[in-house]
Amino acid sequence: RNRGETMDLKKNLQMAIGMGKRFGIGASIYDIYYRGMDRLLGLEGYRVVALGAENLVKARLPEGDFPQARELSTKEILAFGEKFPKHLPQDFVLRACARGDRCVAMIIDGELAAYCWFSRRPTEMDRRLEVRFDDSMVYQYKAFTFRGHRGKRLALLILKHALEVYANEGVEKVVAYIANNNFASLAAAKGAGFQKVGTVYVIRRRRWLKVFA
């Protein structure tokens, strides 16, 4: 076993232990299984979840005097990208904006607190996978809340704004794909009112790829 494989094993073990501390031993065992299947067979699993305004109403919106979520201009996103190049790299931002994707964010005291991208066009999950969806849905991706603002449920305000804006375009639901071992995102989605509508499995073997839905 080479050094790289040993480091990967240690990293995966540490992640599994961390998963167990946050979500229980069952989550830790599943995470090890998931990563093992990915490594051995190239198998990935994604949960497809959707959220409509009627479900968001049932979720507990954050309390407190928060500003309204709003769509950022390309200029604003690029400016924040200079401060957070890992999260908002310039090449990605320019491609997404050119496609017509929108970045809805929470700005608190002039600082970027949370953001999420939304798309109505077929969207790349990676270089080999593209997400397609019904015209009545908008795809949510790359949602992120910065550490100092986590636990405030800011994502709900972003989703509320997005559903209100896209409703004028005939959109009824927000749809997202979440890896089956991403327990933090799955828990956040459930708390926001998302409901499971399907499962997608992907097998990758070098240049070969197969999708099962």
Side-chain angles (χ1 to χ4, degrees):
R1 179 178 295 167
N2 60 43
R3 183 178 180 182
E5 290 178 333
T6 301
M7 291 181 67
D8 285 344
L9 181 60
K10 289 182 178 179
K11 182 180 178 180
N12 288 339
L13 183 59
Q14 290 172 351
M15 292 181 70
I17 292 173
M19 195 80 69
K21 290 180 178 179
R22 293 184 63 189
F23 302 104
I25 187 65
S28 182
I29 293 172
Y30 182 81
D31 186 63
I32 293 173
Y33 166 79
Y34 184 95
R35 292 177 185 279
M37 293 297 286
D38 184 16
R39 187 177 183 86
L40 292 174
L41 303 177
L43 177 64
E44 305 166 8
Y46 297 92
R47 189 172 302 181
V48 187
V49 295
L51 172 71
E54 70 280 2
N55 299 116
L56 183 62
V57 169
K58 298 176 184 178
R60 183 171 58 85
L61 292 174
E63 300 175 356
D65 187 20
F66 290 105
Q68 289 188 344
R70 64 180 179 86
E71 183 181 342
L72 300 183
S73 67
T74 303
K75 182 178 179 180
E76 288 178 305
I77 305 169
L78 290 172
F80 282 123
E82 291 180 359
K83 186 174 182 180
F84 305 108
K86 178 181 177 181
H87 299 287
L88 297 166
Q90 185 183 75
D91 58 341
F92 161 75
V93 170
L94 292 175
R95 286 199 312 271
C97 291
R99 271 199 315 267
D101 294 0
R102 303 174 187 176
C103 181
V104 179
M106 290 291 297
I107 309 298
I108 298 178
D109 296 328
E111 294 294 325
L112 183 60
Y115 65 88
C116 183
W117 288 87
F118 296 90
S119 176
R120 295 204 63 194
R121 299 173 180 271
T123 306
E124 288 185 356
M125 285 183 68
D126 55 40
R127 292 181 179 180
R128 301 181 65 190
L129 277 180
E130 184 178 75
V131 176
R132 294 176 178 267
F133 37 84
D134 189 90
D135 288 341
S136 66
M137 297 181 176
V138 60
Y139 175 54
Q140 168 197 311
Y141 69 104
K142 291 189 180 297
F144 188 80
T145 300
F146 288 91
R147 188 175 298 277
H149 297 280
R150 292 174 186 171
K152 300 177 182 178
R153 302 172 70 81
L154 299 181
L156 293 181
L157 297 178
I158 291 175
L159 288 165
K160 180 175 181 292
H161 176 83
L163 282 168
E164 290 172 349
V165 170
Y166 281 108
N168 297 325
E169 301 176 15
V171 170
E172 300 174 358
K173 293 187 177 183
V174 174
V175 64
Y177 291 71
I178 305 173
N180 284 342
N181 69 331
N182 189 343
F183 295 100
S185 292
L186 289 171
K190 183 178 180 180
F194 278 90
Q195 296 183 332
K196 180 181 176 181
V197 295
T199 304
V200 175
Y201 291 98
V202 180
I203 298 178
R204 304 172 191 258
R205 299 298 293 176
R206 296 183 180 178
R207 297 184 179 180
W208 185 82
L209 184 146
K210 182 68 175 178
V211 177
F212 303 89

